[in-house]
Amino acid sequence: MKKTKTLVALSAASLFVANHASAAGTWSEARSDAMGGTGVASASYGSGVLTNPALLAKAKQDDSVTVILPSVSAQITDKDNLQDQIDDISDKVDQYKDVIDDLTLQDILLNPGGSLNQLQSAAGDLAGELEDLRGKTAQAKAGASIAVSIPNDVLSMAFVAKAYARAHVNSSIDQQDIDYLHGIENSDVVAGGVALDAAINGSDTITRNLNSTASGRAAIVSDYGVALAKQFDLGGVPVSVGVTPKLQKTWLYNYTTSIYAYDSNDWNSSRYRNDDTGFNVDAGLAADFGENWTLGLSGQNLISRDIDTKDVLITNGRTGETVNYKDTYQIRPLVTAGAAWHNDLITLSADGDLTETKGFKSEENSQYVGVGAEVRPLSWLAVRAGYRADVKSNDSNVFTGGVGFAPFNRVHVDLMGLYGEDETWGAGAQLSVTF
């Protein structure tokens, strides 16, 4: 049996493998991620299409075509060490099944004490693991971006392909499973009955009498768009406007199964996967006040969409009742305001979401704020740090940091990392070239 952590990671990894593609939102950009997830007012023109399309129009006179290929990031939160817990369940289930498979009527009749002791010990161990696993969760996010930005005095343009993924794994432990296993552990009579049943029917008894489940839900959203941006002068204030119409494709995964038969290789099966294609749009504003201040406003996914997962039916072995497991993924407008102060040496930035980040209806919403800083001690070196928090307290608060290298101001390599509460960690990298 594979690790649950693998399910979380695979759902994010498929973003790159299957769909050509931690960020808190709908984009991945290593510089902005290293600065606390900010970027609505502080991103460069070459990456503005990812965070705020209006920034595309802020190219300087000597700026030229910039290509990002690619920017990638990933983040995982596993405060409960769920991957280890599932591994432990795997081991205990295997031990329990091995004992059952080895039981014979001859053993029970000739050596009842030895047979029952092994069965009772295995049942007690499995019950203990189920009690420890109850209510625990793990989640992951990933993002990837490719962009080509072409500045122009008349109308700047960019081509963008970006994708983001989020996955959530949790267990649903049936108290009757625990009671049943403790009953075997504590009663020779119950254990004897189970032993006889197992000797006759084999390990099928585990599917008939144990009904706890594990659920892994994942969403991968890919955007393919063309951004257009223009700068205007309003009363002496340079104001930029940008818009990105885009084709949007979403893959949803609803892997729900018995925790005793859990296999992360199965989550990508067509039985649990469906997809949907639609249209959406991003838009943004940016304004410069003096030489050092920039204010920005970004709207991602301005068209709301609800997409249902596939229905997954599981039959309770004890009652014969069939339960339908399903969920709905919500794509909603994400509006973020940002401010940045900058000069040749330093950039200070702050972003705050004005709307909530939604996902599956079964999960709690988040709303992020972030602050960041970048110091450029050398023309080819930048050092970055930041902090991002969820004001809804449903996602982990994290510290971020990173470095950027720009030899000859042509090739740009940006690296970022993050660490936060609830055993949250992440990393990202970006390669861009200016022609």
Side-chain angles (χ1 to χ4, degrees), residues 21 30 180 355 421:
Y180 170 77
T355 58
E421 57 191 4

Side-chain angles (χ1 to χ4, degrees), residues 348-372:
L348 303 176
S349 58
D351 281 9
D353 290 344
L354 305 182
T355 58
E356 296 178 341
T357 295
K358 294 181 178 288
F360 287 105
K361 283 188 175 181
S362 61
E363 300 175 19
E364 298 291 338
N365 300 330
S366 294
Q367 192 166 352
Y368 300 97
V369 295
V371 293

Side-chain angles (χ1 to χ4, degrees), residues 1-133:
M1 188 178 296
K2 306 296 183 181
K3 292 184 177 181
T4 295
K5 185 175 182 179
T6 306
L7 171 65
V8 182
L10 278 177
S11 62
S14 68
L15 175 67
F16 315 112
V17 177
N19 301 300
H20 325 298
S22 66
T26 65
W27 46 268
S28 170
E29 201 271 314
R31 176 177 180 264
S32 297
D33 289 341
M35 297 170 65
T38 61
V40 169
S42 58
S44 67
Y45 84 93
S47 60
V49 65
L50 305 175
T51 58
N52 179 357
L55 299 178
L56 176 62
K58 287 175 58 60
K60 298 177 182 179
Q61 192 66 35
D62 57 347
D63 286 333
S64 56
V65 176
T66 294
V67 179
I68 297 175
L69 54 102
S71 177
V72 296
S73 66
Q75 174 183 323
I76 187 167
T77 299
D78 192 7
K79 64 179 179 179
D80 297 317
N81 292 317
L82 185 59
Q83 75 275 17
D84 295 331
Q85 295 287 328
I86 290 291
D87 280 344
D88 291 339
I89 287 287
S90 303
D91 293 340
K92 302 306 180 186
V93 168
D94 289 342
Q95 291 174 17
Y96 185 73
K97 293 177 71 172
D98 288 343
V99 171
I100 287 178
D101 287 337
D102 290 341
L103 286 173
T104 65
L105 287 174
Q106 183 178 5
D107 289 335
I108 296 171
L109 293 175
L110 298 180
N111 185 23
S115 300
L116 295 186
N117 286 340
Q118 291 181 27
L119 178 60
Q120 289 175 303
S121 176
D125 289 344
L126 182 53
E129 293 297 338
L130 291 175
E131 290 174 322
D132 198 34
L133 182 63

Side-chain angles (χ1 to χ4, degrees), residues 152-166:
N152 188 281
D153 291 338
V154 178
L155 188 67
S156 296
M157 177 181 296
F159 302 93
V160 60
K162 62 177 181 175
Y164 54 98
R166 58 189 297 164

Side-chain angles (χ1 to χ4, degrees), residues 177-318:
D177 287 5
I178 297 174
D179 294 341
Y180 170 77
L181 291 167
H182 279 317
I184 297 172
E185 178 188 23
N186 298 322
S187 171
D188 291 345
V189 174
V190 174
V194 171
L196 287 172
D197 186 15
I200 296 171
N201 298 306
S203 59
D204 287 345
T205 57
I206 198 170
T207 58
R208 287 193 287 109
N209 296 299
L210 299 176
N211 294 281
S212 296
T213 59
S215 296
R217 291 188 175 89
I220 301 172
V221 182
S222 292
D223 295 339
Y224 310 93
V226 177
L228 301 172
K230 175 70 176 176
Q231 182 169 288
F232 303 90
D233 187 287
L234 298 180
V237 176
V239 176
S240 302
V241 179
V243 62
T244 309
K246 59 189 184 181
L247 181 70
Q248 189 168 70
K249 185 163 186 177
T250 304
W251 292 263
L252 298 182
Y253 303 83
N254 180 22
Y255 178 48
T256 304
T257 186
S258 167
I259 200 169
Y260 312 104
Y262 191 95
D263 187 342
S264 60
N265 288 328
D266 293 338
W267 77 275
N268 197 33
S269 166
S270 60
R271 176 186 175 189
Y272 309 107
R273 184 189 69 243
N274 64 305
D275 60 79
D276 180 85
T277 302
F279 173 83
N280 222 310
V281 62
D282 301 337
L285 297 169
D288 292 328
F289 295 89
E291 295 183 358
N292 304 113
W293 283 99
T294 300
L295 301 182
L297 184 68
S298 173
Q300 306 271 336
N301 295 327
L302 296 180
I303 300 174
S304 296
R305 301 172 63 208
D306 283 346
I307 309 169
D308 293 331
T309 67
K310 271 197 170 181
D311 295 352
V312 177
L313 303 178
I314 295 181
T315 301
N316 187 300
R318 281 190 296 265

Side-chain angles (χ1 to χ4, degrees), residues 45 62-67 408-412 432-435:
Y45 84 93
D62 57 347
D63 286 333
S64 56
V65 176
T66 294
V67 179
F408 310 109
N409 203 31
R410 292 294 182 184
V411 178
H412 302 260
S432 56
V433 180
T434 302
F435 295 96

